[in-house]
Amino acid sequence: MCVCLCIPVTPVVENMVGLKPSDVPPPLGVKMASAGAAACIADIVTFPLDTAKVRLQIQGEKKAVQGIRYRGVFGTISTMIRTEGPKSLYNGLVAGLQRQLCFASIRIGLYDNVKNFYTGGKDNPGVLVRILAGCTTGAMAVSFAQPTDVVKVRFQAQVNLDGVARRYNGTMQAYKHIFQNEGLRGLWKGTLPNITRNALVNCTELVTYDLIKEAILGYNLMSDNLPCHFVSAFGAGFVTTVIASPVDVVKTRYMNSPPGQYKSAINCAWTMLTKEGPTAFYKGFVPSFLRLGSWNIVMFVSFEQIKRAMMVTKKRVEVPN
């Protein structure tokens, strides 16, 4: 009797941890669409943490508005809700989703194809090839999606208080205002530090996820399912935060600055170092980790499942009745 009861447990557990991987490698269109959709889901879930991170990163470059100071990620979120209302946590969400649709679909969706291009289609590429592929797709994505990042950061930095003038009233108005007042250079402001930052983030994020996942599967610690994706994504988020945080702070400060405040991104970094010390480069580290860690978990888990769901749907559509 006991044996009979134990037999169906494994299939049931397997079915509870998500869709199985497709037997056929997903085509480029499926990978790009699922990456963009997964990144949007991750942004919606983690956007308040990202906004808190931006507020903490720019704190110190100018006087506090109406004496408001931010202390820690949850303190920042609490202060923003109290002083500006809950909606302030989602300032710039529209630009953020626009950014992810074109940004993540390129940097994540193209990663496997670029990796295969560099190896000539060989299996088991080395770490250097993976890093090169991650840097390549990260730089490509930034070059294309930079204006959306500029608008997103400026909205997140904007304080919504009575008596305090707002820089922008809407996403499209922000694009138009920046173009009219700062030209195309304004829309692509901070491209160099952003390429540096996202090349680091992308190659660290994707390569770390790749390596952790392969190690877990190689040692048969887990099967290719949700727990495996969760652990791999968490590790990728932590490693990425440690490496990319200094460049991320400089990128945020520089993109949010008015014309003339900094001569260049390097000048911005030097000003931070001389006026605030080296710890300024790790301002907002905790929200950065909370955001990147949770973002990676939501994104990679969603990405794997959406990709597999799209392949199941594609297979059903292609099978003749």
Side-chain angles (χ1 to χ4, degrees):
M1 178 66 70
C2 293
V3 174
C4 292
L5 290 173
C6 292
I7 289 174
V9 170
T10 302
V12 171
V13 172
E14 286 296 322
N15 289 334
M16 291 174 62
V17 289
L19 297 169
K20 294 181 180 179
S22 172
D23 296 330
V24 180
L28 178 60
V30 168
K31 287 187 283 190
M32 292 186 72
S34 53
C40 285
I41 293 171
D43 248 28
I44 291 171
V45 173
T46 64
F47 209 78
L49 293 171
D50 193 35
T51 302
K53 178 204 72 173
V54 169
R55 292 292 180 95
L56 286 167
Q57 286 177 337
I58 65 172
Q59 186 166 253
E61 70 174 358
K62 57 185 177 182
K63 292 182 179 179
V65 178
Q66 296 187 5
I68 296 174
R69 299 289 298 177
Y70 303 116
R71 298 182 184 278
V73 56
F74 297 111
T76 300
I77 291 173
S78 176
T79 299
M80 289 181 66
I81 292 173
R82 188 179 69 252
T83 57
E84 304 172 54
K87 290 177 65 176
S88 64
L89 297 174
Y90 283 91
N91 280 349
L93 178 62
V94 173
L97 296 180
Q98 291 172 349
R99 173 180 179 268
Q100 292 299 354
L101 281 172
C102 53
F103 184 72
S105 59
I106 294 174
R107 77 178 184 91
I108 299 170
L110 282 176
Y111 173 71
D112 285 336
N113 291 70
V114 173
K115 187 170 61 175
N116 291 334
F117 171 78
Y118 285 137
T119 60
K122 296 179 181 177
D123 293 331
N124 301 318
V127 175
L128 290 178
V129 172
R130 298 173 198 248
I131 291 174
L132 181 59
C135 289
T136 301
T137 59
M140 288 169 61
V142 172
S143 301
F144 181 71
Q146 180 68 7
T148 61
D149 208 6
V150 172
V151 171
K152 179 184 83 78
V153 166
R154 292 194 182 186
F155 262 103
Q156 289 177 309
Q158 182 170 265
V159 177
N160 299 322
L161 292 174
D162 293 336
V164 178
R166 299 182 64 180
R167 282 174 96 175
Y168 312 111
N169 296 313
T171 305
M172 299 312 296
Q173 184 263 336
Y175 288 118
K176 183 179 178 180
H177 184 274
I178 294 171
F179 176 72
Q180 290 177 338
N181 291 274
E182 303 174 46
L184 283 173
R185 291 183 63 183
L187 288 171
W188 267 267
K189 186 173 187 178
T191 299
L192 182 58
N194 209 16
I195 284 178
T196 305
R197 183 254 182 194
N198 279 290
L200 283 172
V201 167
N202 202 48
C203 70
T204 306
E205 196 174 79
L206 295 176
V207 172
T208 305
Y209 180 83
D210 242 5
L211 294 174
I212 294 176
K213 182 180 174 183
E214 283 187 9
I216 290 173
L217 297 177
Y219 287 102
N220 294 315
L221 300 176
M222 299 177 187
S223 57
D224 192 357
N225 53 28
L226 288 176
C228 172
H229 305 156
F230 181 93
V231 172
S232 303
F234 183 86
F238 179 77
V239 174
T240 302
T241 307
V242 172
I243 292 176
S245 191
V247 182
D248 190 33
V249 176
V250 174
K251 179 212 77 168
T252 300
R253 290 275 187 104
Y254 186 61
M255 287 199 305
N256 184 58
S257 64
Q261 182 173 352
Y262 302 116
K263 295 178 181 178
S264 64
I266 295 174
N267 174 249
C268 176
W270 178 251
T271 302
M272 286 172 58
L273 179 64
T274 54
K275 289 189 175 181
E276 302 173 57
T279 56
F281 294 102
Y282 280 93
K283 277 192 172 182
F285 179 83
V286 172
S288 286
F289 171 60
L290 288 174
R291 193 261 175 179
L292 263 179
S294 56
W295 192 93
N296 271 272
I297 290 168
V298 176
M299 194 285 297
F300 278 116
V301 169
S302 300
F303 176 54
E304 298 277 11
Q305 294 303 304
I306 293 172
K307 183 170 58 176
R308 293 174 185 186
M310 290 182 72
M311 289 303 293
V312 170
T313 304
K314 183 174 181 291
K315 186 176 181 181
R316 287 176 180 172
V317 170
E318 290 176 349
V319 172
N321 294 326

